[in-house]
Amino acid sequence: MKNESLKFNSLPGTHNATGAEKGKVRRILGIDPGLANTGFGIIDSCRGQYRMVSYGVIETNPSQSLGERLLTIHSRLQAVIDEFKPSESCMEALFFAKNVTSAISVAEAKGVVTLCLAQNVIPLSEYKPNQIKKAVTGTASADKNLVEKYVQLLLKLEVKPEPDHAADALACALCHLHNSI
């Protein structure tokens, strides 16, 4: 399918992007990094309108070594990139207040994701969790359920995207679009 042939239905509350590449479809890969589950969501945007292309979760086996789990994230993310060919990417910035052990494993997964994107020369932007919530729902204090509901509404999905890691990745991609218009 050629980019020129893509047509988008208008979404309530969207506006035409000024200065955006006229008629060019932007494909955004949003990522919610994690060692056990790395969520991904892919959104196309054209002329200030957008739609969901795909989403999912890269799961790793906890019985495997750390190196094997990180390799799994890398190879499966590479497969997503090969299939969908995103032009831009974004990721939730690392933010933890309590669990240091969990923060370290997420940071390692985040490093592998960053490496994979750099190897494919895909620009990466990062957003704090509160930035993502505010961009998607209008409030930085939104809970996961509200974020998932807004993702569903904004992308005109029949059901809320699941699991939550995939929904968070789609929310990150929407945040990126709202911040880069």
Side-chain angles (χ1 to χ4, degrees):
M1 181 186 308
K2 292 184 179 179
N3 287 347
E4 297 82 28
S5 67
L6 293 176
K7 304 250 182 191
F8 291 94
N9 295 327
S10 293
L11 295 175
T14 61
H15 60 281
N16 288 331
T18 57
E21 301 160 49
K22 294 180 182 176
K24 183 176 180 189
V25 175
R26 294 170 59 198
R27 179 156 286 178
I28 313 301
L29 169 60
I31 299 170
D32 179 33
L35 182 61
N37 299 287
T38 293
F40 68 89
I42 300 159
I43 296 176
D44 279 349
S45 172
C46 182
R47 297 181 184 167
Q49 301 167 42
Y50 38 78
R51 68 171 176 196
M52 187 276 301
V53 175
S54 183
Y55 62 88
V57 173
I58 298 167
E59 296 178 344
T60 65
N61 185 339
S63 67
Q64 291 182 317
S65 70
L66 174 63
E68 290 172 316
R69 294 176 82 182
L70 294 173
L71 185 57
T72 296
I73 293 169
H74 186 280
S75 62
R76 292 189 182 160
L77 181 59
Q78 183 62 56
V80 169
I81 290 168
D82 290 343
E83 181 175 350
F84 296 104
K85 300 178 180 14
S87 56
E88 304 168 48
S89 66
C90 54
M91 184 165 31
E92 187 172 313
L94 185 59
F95 178 79
F96 282 89
K98 297 179 184 174
N99 191 336
V100 174
T101 304
S102 182
I104 291 170
S105 66
V106 171
E108 290 170 325
K110 187 174 181 270
V112 167
V113 168
T114 302
L115 172 65
C116 189
L117 294 168
Q119 289 173 326
N120 287 277
V121 194
I122 300 172
L124 172 64
S125 298
E126 291 188 47
Y127 300 97
K128 295 176 186 170
N130 288 348
Q131 282 180 285
I132 296 169
K133 292 175 186 178
K134 184 165 181 151
V136 174
T137 69
T139 177
S141 61
D143 63 16
K144 280 196 173 289
N145 189 47
L146 185 61
V147 172
E148 290 171 6
K149 185 65 178 169
Y150 268 83
V151 167
Q152 178 186 2
L153 290 170
L154 290 169
L155 295 175
K156 294 187 175 182
L157 304 175
E158 291 183 19
V159 296
K160 287 193 280 188
E162 292 182 342
D164 61 344
H165 298 289
D168 289 347
L170 287 169
C172 188
L174 286 167
C175 174
H176 180 71
L177 287 171
H178 292 173
N179 281 285
S180 60
I181 289 179

